[in-house]
Structure formats: structure tokens, C-alpha cells
Amino acid sequence: MASFCSLTLILISIFAFSISIANSKTLKRDVKALNEIKASLGWRVVYAWIGDDPCGDGDLPPWSGVTCSTQGDYRVVTELEVYAVSIVGPFPIAVTNLLDLTRLDLHNNKLTGPIPPQIGRLRRLRMLNLRWNKLQDVLPPEIGELKRLTHLSLSFNNFKGEIPRELANLPELRYLYLQENRFTGRVPAELGTLQNLRHLDVGNNHLVGTIRELIRIEGGFPVLRNLYFNNNYLTGGIPAQLANLTNLEILYLSYNKMSGAIPTALAHIPKLTYLYLDHNQFSGRIPDAFYKHPFLKEL
């Protein structure tokens, strides 16, 4: 009998919650923003976005790729995922009015132009994926205001200029993908202060400098597992201090202009699994310690 009463209470609660969601109104700010985005993205998306309310209205479901949550008496847009539909045109600035977004995924489209500085308004954003577009210009420093960001993927675009130091202001950042762009200058050593950064890929750019400059901050990159620096213009040697990155599993330095001897210290990185040093100007012998490494699969 007690279990039956408990089940009845659960069903009543679920029903009441469903009624509250159905009766909730979508915040006008988000409705306006999504309709502006709808107008700017063109027919490829519009055919799946029916009705005036992106969170659904009556018998109409939420728009495809739009996720909403209830906050008090209102519904707000928390996720926007519109990818691989050949969207053409500039980055839709109206996106930056969706202040409750936690996830923004517009990858594999044909977006052009810069990322607007208003991107810094999305303070709740945790994942930003804009890879495989035709975005260009410099990265706005306002990206450094997205304090909750854990995943940032801007690879396979046409970004240029220097990688902004403001990225070091993202304390939760774990994955940073900047490969296949036109970045120049040096990778900011300040990125080493990111206590949660696990993956850093800046391959296939026009970057210069040395590994020594990158790791000059003591205790930097404490949990970094994967470092991709291939196909750039790095010079200098591999400093023995690189072995202080004890969590490294993948180190990819191929196709640079590096020189000098390969330090034995690298062979003492305990979890090193893949080490790529080809197409540089290294000299001397490969230390015997590499052949005895318990996890190294490819050298």
C-alpha cells in the first residue's frame, strides 16, 4: 500500500511538472533572438523551424537543434546546435543575446567573417564549437570572458593574428583546438597557468618561437596530456624541462625547424605513448632509453 501511494505521488509530481513546463512562456528575449537567427540563416534551417516559439508552442515541438530549460515561470534557450547544414553568411550576432546558452555548436557550415566581440556576453557557455567554417580575422579578446568554458574548438577556419593571451583567463578550459588556421606569433606561455587544460592543438598554423618559451612558467600545464605543435615554424631545441609535463601522452612536433639533440629526459615521461619529431633538423643519436619505455608505441 505504501509503495502504491509513493508511486501515485511520483506520477502526480511528474504530471504537475509537465503542466508547469507546458504553461511556461519562453522569454521574449530568446524568442526575438532565435527569430532573428532564423531570418539570417536562410532556408536550409527554416524548413525545420516551424512556429514562432523556438521552445515549442502548443502542439508544435521545439525547433530542431534548440534545447530549452525552465527557469521560474519562463523557458530559456540553453543549447543551440545547428551544424552540417551549409549555413552561409556571417556569424549571427543575435546568438550573443541568448544569455543562458551553455552549448553553442555551429560546426561544419560556411560561416564567414569574424567572431563578434559580443561573444563575451555568453557567460554561462561551457562548449563553443565553430570548427570547419570559413571564419576569419583575429580572435576577439572577449572570448576570455567565458569563464565557464571547458571546450573551445575553432579549428579549420581562417583565423589570423596572434592567439590571444586572454584565453588564459578561462579556468575551466580542458580542450583547446586551434589547428588548421593562419595564426602567427608565439603561443602565449600564460596558457600554462590553466590548471585543467588536457588537450592543446595548435598544429598547421604559422606559429614561431620555441618550446622553452612556452613552458617557462614553473609548474605550467600540470595536467596536459596531448600537445600538438606540428606544421609550424618552431625553432630551437627540445628542453629537458619538457619532461616536467609528467601527464603527457602525445607530443607532436613534426614539420618544424627545430634542431639539437633529443634529450634523454623525454624518455622518462611515464605515460608517453606517441612521440613525433620527424621533419626537423635534430642531430645525434636517439637515446636508448626510448626503446625501453613501457608505453611508447610510436616514435
Side-chain angles (χ1 to χ4, degrees), residues 37-191:
I37 296 168
K38 177 180 178 179
S40 69
L41 295 186
W43 66 269
R44 291 182 182 273
V45 176
V46 171
Y47 77 91
W49 285 6
I50 302 172
D52 295 324
D53 191 336
C55 296
D57 185 12
D59 295 329
L60 295 176
W63 291 359
S64 175
V66 176
T67 300
C68 302
S69 299
T70 301
Q71 292 185 6
D73 297 329
Y74 292 93
R75 295 179 297 184
V76 296
V77 177
T78 53
E79 297 182 8
L80 179 60
E81 300 176 277
V82 183
Y83 51 84
V85 289
S86 296
I87 298 170
V88 177
F91 183 96
I93 295 181
V95 166
T96 63
N97 292 325
L98 300 171
L99 302 184
D100 292 288
L101 272 187
T102 61
R103 185 181 185 92
L104 176 58
D105 190 345
L106 301 177
H107 84 270
N108 200 11
N109 285 295
K110 297 179 181 178
L111 294 174
T112 56
I115 296 176
Q118 293 93 324
I119 195 74
R121 302 179 66 210
L122 303 180
R123 301 297 177 86
R124 299 187 179 183
L125 205 61
R126 297 187 64 82
M127 194 280 286
L128 176 59
N129 186 359
L130 301 175
R131 73 178 187 270
W132 286 107
N133 276 284
K134 297 183 178 181
L135 295 165
Q136 55 204 54
D137 214 337
V138 299
L139 292 186
E142 286 80 4
I143 287 183
E145 298 173 11
L146 308 178
K147 303 296 186 182
R148 299 186 184 183
L149 210 60
T150 61
H151 292 67
L152 177 58
S153 182
L154 304 177
S155 50
F156 297 93
N157 279 283
N158 294 311
F159 292 116
K160 64 179 182 179
E162 296 189 354
I163 297 171
R165 286 181 170 81
E166 286 78 6
L167 293 180
N169 297 333
L170 305 176
E172 303 296 324
L173 194 63
R174 298 181 180 183
Y175 299 92
L176 179 57
Y177 300 92
L178 300 176
Q179 73 269 28
E180 295 283 352
N181 279 286
R182 299 177 182 177
F183 289 116
T184 55
R186 290 166 165 77
V187 176
E190 290 85 353
L191 294 182

Side-chain angles (χ1 to χ4, degrees), residues 283-294:
S283 58
R285 295 174 55 85
I286 297 174
D288 293 339
F290 283 105
Y291 302 110
K292 301 175 183 178
H293 196 290

Side-chain angles (χ1 to χ4, degrees), residues 230-244:
N230 53 294
N231 292 77
N232 280 285
Y233 298 99
L234 291 188
T235 54
I238 300 176
Q241 292 86 342
L242 190 60
N244 293 333

